[in-house]
Each structure stands twice: as C-alpha cells, then as structure tokens.
Amino acid sequence: MKLRHAMVCASNQNRSMEAHALLQRQGLDVSSYGTGSHVKLPGPSAREPNVYSFGTPYRTMLEDLIKKDPELYKRNGLLQMLKRNLGVKEAPQRWQDNAADGAFDVVFTFEERVFDMVIDDLGNRETNLLKLALIINMDVKDNHEEAAIGGKLALDFCLRLEQADAWEDEIDAIISRFEKHHRRRLIYTIRFY
C-alpha cells in the first residue's frame, strides 16, 4: 500500500479505533488519534463520565472499569471495545500532539467538529514538506453499531484511494462514486504538511 492514513475521532476509542483495526487488518499504513482535551468514556450517567488523559493505556482503562462496575461496562460494550483497542495499540493518542509521527496522505474524521479541529491544527503547523494531505469527514454517530458501519465505509474509501493512480487528480470522481454507492455525504479539503 502506498498511502499513510490517520483515523481521527474525539477520544481515539470507538470510531477511529474501529476503522484503525479494519484498515490495519487489510495491510494499510494507518494510525489513529483523538482531538479532545482528554478521553471520555460513558459512566453510570451522562453527568458522570469516566475521564482519562491521552496516553493512559487501554489496559489501565479496562481494569478501572472492571473494578468500578463490570456488569454495566460489559452490558454497554465498553469492555469489549477496550479489548479490541488493546489488540491495535497501547493507548489513545491526541492528534494535536502527533507532529513527530510524520505527514499523512489521508486524514479521515468521523464528525464535523473533529474535521474542523484537524484543519485548524494543520493550519497552525509549519508547512515545511509541501506535501498534500486529503482531510475528509464522514459523520458517524458515536455508538458501537454505527462505528462498525463507519469503519467499513472508511476502509472502502481508503481502498478506493489506494487503487487510484493519482488520487489528487481523481478525488472528485472517487468521492462522487463513493457517495452514490453508499448514500453517505462526505466533506473534504486539501491541506499541506
């Protein structure tokens, strides 16, 4: 595979990690990130989320939730999600802290607010490489079912890009075919590293 892909959601837990796992299994060069100030997982109520710092290992989060209420977190799918994440990488990473990871060809986000944050962050970075990057968004609800669908769609889109001779010249046609086939709206922009 020829492109470097970044999957980005708010907390680097559900949507970006589902897509990361699928792309990784297909042999694509992929990383994943979150854009929030910290990692939030649902808690016993909407007012009581479980909050962690980026870089906290998924194993630590898993052990913490098992101690707090194993039945609740098994029932709502968080334990299974964290086990999946453990098989992909050690800990959630923050997009704004990833400059040392190098440039990406494709940055795929799963909500417009995250898309905007990625664009703002890239706008604040020095553009030394003058390397093109496609920043694309497909809105996906942050639940396990929608993340599974969104991950498959992200994989399909990234495979379409991988098959293009020059995605920069074909991007409008690739997006048009994808939107028509899947009936999902994408927004995108091109930025430089």
Side-chain angles (χ1 to χ4, degrees):
M1 300 297 169
K2 57 189 176 190
L3 301 175
R4 288 194 74 215
H5 305 268
M7 302 291 117
V8 188
C9 66
S11 289
N12 197 201
Q13 289 288 341
N14 190 25
R15 297 165 293 178
S16 63
M17 287 300 290
E18 178 68 25
H20 186 157
L22 290 174
L23 270 71
Q24 186 172 287
R25 271 187 247 137
Q26 291 296 313
L28 276 70
D29 183 354
V30 61
S31 297
S32 61
Y33 304 92
T35 57
S37 55
H38 45 265
V39 175
K40 278 190 194 176
L41 294 174
S45 74
R47 291 189 319 257
E48 302 174 88
N50 292 286
V51 180
Y52 303 95
S53 298
F54 278 96
T56 302
Y58 292 117
R59 180 168 307 287
T60 301
M61 294 178 205
L62 178 65
E63 291 167 356
D64 184 46
L65 296 184
I66 289 171
K67 285 179 195 169
K68 288 179 177 177
D69 190 340
E71 289 307 311
L72 169 65
Y73 297 117
K74 181 178 181 181
R75 194 170 51 252
N76 71 9
L78 287 183
L79 298 183
Q80 187 60 34
M81 180 189 75
L82 289 167
K83 288 175 185 174
R84 177 209 55 213
N85 294 355
L86 272 167
V88 176
K89 66 182 195 177
E90 183 181 348
Q93 296 169 273
R94 191 165 183 260
W95 169 263
Q96 295 89 331
D97 302 330
N98 85 341
D101 293 350
F104 290 94
D105 299 293
V106 181
V107 181
F108 200 105
T109 65
F110 296 92
E111 72 181 272
E112 197 165 344
R113 178 178 59 94
V114 171
F115 176 79
D116 293 340
M117 292 175 81
V118 167
I119 291 168
D120 288 346
D121 179 67
L122 288 174
N124 291 326
R125 295 185 189 189
E126 290 184 32
T127 53
N128 299 331
L129 301 176
L130 297 180
K131 178 179 173 41
L132 281 178
L134 173 65
I135 318 303
I136 190 149
N137 183 72
M138 178 180 64
D139 283 330
V140 174
K141 289 182 184 171
D142 193 6
N143 64 51
H144 301 300
E145 296 79 21
E146 289 296 317
I149 294 166
K152 289 175 185 166
L153 293 174
L155 172 62
D156 178 68
F157 183 82
C158 292
L159 288 173
R160 290 171 188 246
L161 286 177
E162 290 280 350
Q163 294 165 356
D165 291 326
W167 69 260
E168 302 90 335
D169 300 331
E170 302 172 47
I171 191 60
D172 290 330
I174 292 169
I175 287 179
S176 178
R177 286 191 301 270
F178 179 91
E179 288 179 330
K180 186 176 180 181
H181 184 260
H182 293 292
R183 295 185 176 98
R184 294 292 283 254
R185 183 178 162 268
L186 303 176
I187 58 173
Y188 74 98
T189 188
I190 306 290
R191 289 292 187 262
F192 287 95
Y193 268 96

